Every structure is written in C-alpha cells, then in structure tokens.
Amino acid sequence: MNIEVLLTETEIADEFAESVEARDLPEKFFYWTPLSIQSWKALSTRSEEALRETWEKLAAKAPDLTRGFTGIIPVISFGAGEGLRDREVLKALKVAGREAKYFPVDSSQALLEMACAGAEDDDCEALGIKADISSPMHLLLAADVSEAPRLYLMVGNTLGGFDPLDQIKHIAACVHKGDILIIDANIHAGTVEPSEEQKRFVFAPLAAAGVAPDDGELQFTARPDERLDGLHIITRRFQALRDLTIRAAAREIPLARGERILLNFRYLFTAESFRWLLTEHAGLRVVAEIPSADGRFVTAVCIKA
Ligand SMILES: C[S@@+](CC[C@H](N)C(=O)[O-])C[C@H]1O[C@@H](n2cnc3c(N)ncnc32)[C@H](O)[C@@H]1O
C-alpha cells in the first residue's frame, strides 16, 4: 500500500493540543482516533442508504463523463474517508473497460488505509495522499499527482465541514479545462434534534482525550449564515460542568468549569445556495445535478466554466 505523507501524525497531534488550548476543534480531529472512526461509521450508515441510488446513477454515468479522457483516468477524492462511494465509480469505469488510478486524499491515516485497501481489492491501483484539504497548498499538491483531465470527487457533505465560501474557491482552483468535479451537499430540512449517533460522533475526540460524558454537556445550535441566503450552520459545543484536565500530545490542558470548546460545525445548503456557490462564487459550470431520493442531498457534476 502506498501513502504519500504531506501531513504527519506528529503535526496532527500537536495541532490537536493547540486546538484544545484554543477551545476550537476543526473537522479533521473527528476522524483521527479509532473511537472517532467507529462513531463516524455508525453515523454514516444512514447517509449511505440515502445516497445509494445517486451513486448508482453517477457510477453508471462515469464512463460517459470520462469519454474524452485518454489513457489511465486519475480519480482524486478530497476527504475520501474509507472511499466507499468512490469505489462505485472506480468499479463502473472498470466494467466499461477503462483503467483508473485512485488518489484518496484525507488527513486520517486509518481511513486512507481503508480507501487504498478497498480499491486494491477491486484491482485498482491506488496512491493515498495524507494531507490537509483545508490548506490550498496541500490541495494543489494533491491535484498535481496528475495533469488534466482528472476526475475529482468531494462527497458525503465533506464541503459542509469547512467554510464553504472559502473552501469551494480552493477546490475550484484545482479544476482545469478538461477536469470534472463531482461534489455534493447536505440540504437544509429545518431544525432536527441531534441523534445519539451524532452526539457520540462529536464527543469522540474529547472522549479519546479522557473526558467522560458526564464531565459536561453538548450543545447543538442551528442558525442561518447571514453571508448567503439559504446557507445554514449547525455549531456544536461542549461545556464543562466541572474543572477538567484534557490530555493531548503529552500536554495536560486545564479546562475550568463553565468553559466551552467549539466542536466541528456542519454547513447545510438549499439547492439554490449550493448552485450559486459552485457557479457565481467559484466560477464552475454545473453540467448535471442529481438530488437524492429522500431529498437530503444534491450531487453536482461540474466543469471549469
Ligand atoms: C464527511 S466525511 C466524508 C467521507 C467520504 N467522502 C464519504 O462520502 O463518506 C469527511 C472526510 O474528510 C476528511 N477530512 C476532514 N477534515 C480534513 C482535512 N482538514 N484534511 C483532510 N481530510 C479531512 C475526514 O477524515 C473524512 O474522511
């Protein structure tokens, strides 16, 4: 198995300790430890079901979409996770007699290993890239594994784990003439009570650092983002109910009773705000849009305008 490392485990561990000190944990830490991965898998089963039909349709279209590609098709997936959806596309290309090379890009070593192993089980060559997709430089370095035309994937509402106004511009900068980007978004469907799986998922990084559930409480807040009509953000916070010590990267970080830590946020979209972000804001052209059967997701196929 080949994995190229732009972001080391030591850098992630140091950044985790700094983030706890800053009381603000970014998205990448929610897929880092075995406990996080277990909680993520339990949570993602529901969206797997909702997106199955979309991915069957997309996989069926993949050979046609990439008809203009000559030679081996580079498939680069930003925030690939364990790559389950990506594999549908890889398998469809194989059935159509096309050869692909898979480049899952993720900060999680464990998920990257699963993505590479899965593709290799399907007889597809893979090179994992361990990188930080919130860094424009890492994105460009990952995109540079191949020249255009490339097939990019960014799915499972990965966009919603970042500031979408910034992130989509960084992604669009990687899309050149001839490239294709398949990207999806979670549709806002009113305020929904967080499930037990969601609570376990957002609490997992703190649990792995020694915090117990009754050491504090989780608070979920949903509100519109004033910058764009149709854009909504769900913030999650942990508030300590007693004085705590969090252990991270061999540091002991005190957290006083009443203090809060911002956990990872999630952006939700309307179909219109998602389309605006892709087109007017990021300068891409949407050539197809596929809503999921339950209306919770929309997946767009984009090219450079
Ligand atoms: C919402 S999951 C989606 C996973 C997968 N694409 C799917 O459809 O199931 C987001 C993925 O992005 C990765 N991720 C989060 N923050 C990241 C960062 N800053 N750099 C690289 N990967 C990141 C996570 O490890 C996770 O695999």
Side-chain angles (χ1 to χ4, degrees):
M1 184 181 305
N2 288 328
I3 297 183
E4 204 174 292
V5 178
L6 303 179
L7 174 70
T8 65
E9 284 298 292
T10 308
E11 285 168 328
I12 299 177
D14 285 343
E15 202 192 320
F16 179 67
E18 282 157 22
S19 302
V20 173
E21 276 166 355
R23 309 313 192 226
D24 188 355
L25 298 186
E27 173 80 345
K28 66 164 94 66
F29 301 117
F30 294 78
Y31 306 84
W32 183 39
T33 66
L35 185 62
S36 277
I37 286 166
Q38 193 187 68
S39 318
W40 158 246
K41 282 190 167 191
L43 182 64
S44 61
T45 315
R46 233 161 57 89
S47 52
E48 284 302 328
E49 306 275 304
L51 282 166
R52 179 161 305 138
E53 202 184 305
T54 301
W55 279 84
E56 279 166 7
K57 280 189 195 161
L58 265 170
K61 276 185 186 195
D64 231 24
L65 281 172
T66 53
R67 196 161 348 128
F69 288 44
T70 50
I72 300 174
I73 301 171
V75 178
I76 303 174
S77 177
F78 293 133
E82 57 181 319
L84 291 180
R85 282 184 262 272
D86 306 348
R87 276 170 77 185
E88 294 302 315
V89 170
L90 297 170
K91 281 190 226 164
L93 290 172
K94 189 166 186 225
V95 168
R98 307 295 309 275
E99 198 181 337
K101 182 162 179 186
Y102 180 44
F103 301 95
V105 186
D106 209 287
S107 52
S108 165
Q109 175 73 25
L111 290 175
L112 268 180
E113 287 171 10
M114 290 179 212
C116 289
E120 284 164 5
D121 283 350
D122 296 339
D123 285 331
C124 177
E125 198 186 340
L127 170 65
I129 301 171
K130 187 154 178 275
D132 188 332
I133 61 169
S134 67
S135 150
M137 181 55 74
H138 280 201
L139 282 174
L140 289 171
L141 286 170
D144 263 0
V145 291
S146 169
E147 289 182 351
R150 296 157 284 201
L151 176 58
Y152 291 113
L153 306 174
M154 188 166 180
V155 296
N157 196 27
T158 297
L159 179 66
F162 301 90
D163 182 323
L165 289 143
D166 291 338
Q167 189 68 16
I168 194 59
K169 285 210 165 178
H170 303 325
I171 298 294
C174 301
V175 180
H176 295 180
K177 196 170 178 309
D179 290 335
I180 294 170
L181 167 69
I182 298 179
I183 184 164
D184 68 7
N186 210 173
I187 296 297
H188 178 63
T191 311
V192 188
E193 275 299 302
S195 64
E196 286 309 308
E197 281 100 352
Q198 273 167 332
K199 290 182 191 165
R200 270 195 289 275
F201 168 66
V202 300
F203 186 63
L206 293 179
V211 181
D214 62 0
D215 283 338
E217 60 183 21
L218 289 175
Q219 300 157 348
F220 284 60
T221 316
R223 59 176 168 80
D225 183 322
E226 304 301 338
R227 295 172 302 167
L228 174 63
D229 214 23
L231 191 60
H232 294 260
I233 182 169
I234 300 177
T235 55
R236 294 96 164 230
R237 286 189 298 203
F238 171 83
Q239 182 162 28
L241 292 177
R242 55 179 74 109
D243 291 345
L244 301 173
T245 301
I246 299 181
R247 286 172 184 82
R251 291 184 222 175
E252 295 203 338
I253 303 162
L255 185 73
R257 178 167 176 254
E259 269 197 276
R260 289 178 178 149
I261 297 188
L262 281 175
L263 306 173
N264 63 342
F265 53 81
R266 259 298 163 277
Y267 273 94
L268 303 174
F269 306 78
T270 55
E272 293 73 25
S273 62
F274 182 48
R275 200 176 305 128
W276 182 90
L277 273 174
L278 297 172
T279 54
E280 307 296 316
H281 183 67
L284 296 167
R285 184 146 77 85
V286 176
V287 292
E289 245 179 43
I290 306 167
S292 66
D294 66 354
R296 287 178 48 230
F297 285 88
V298 63
T299 305
V301 180
C302 309
I303 57 172
K304 191 168 173 59

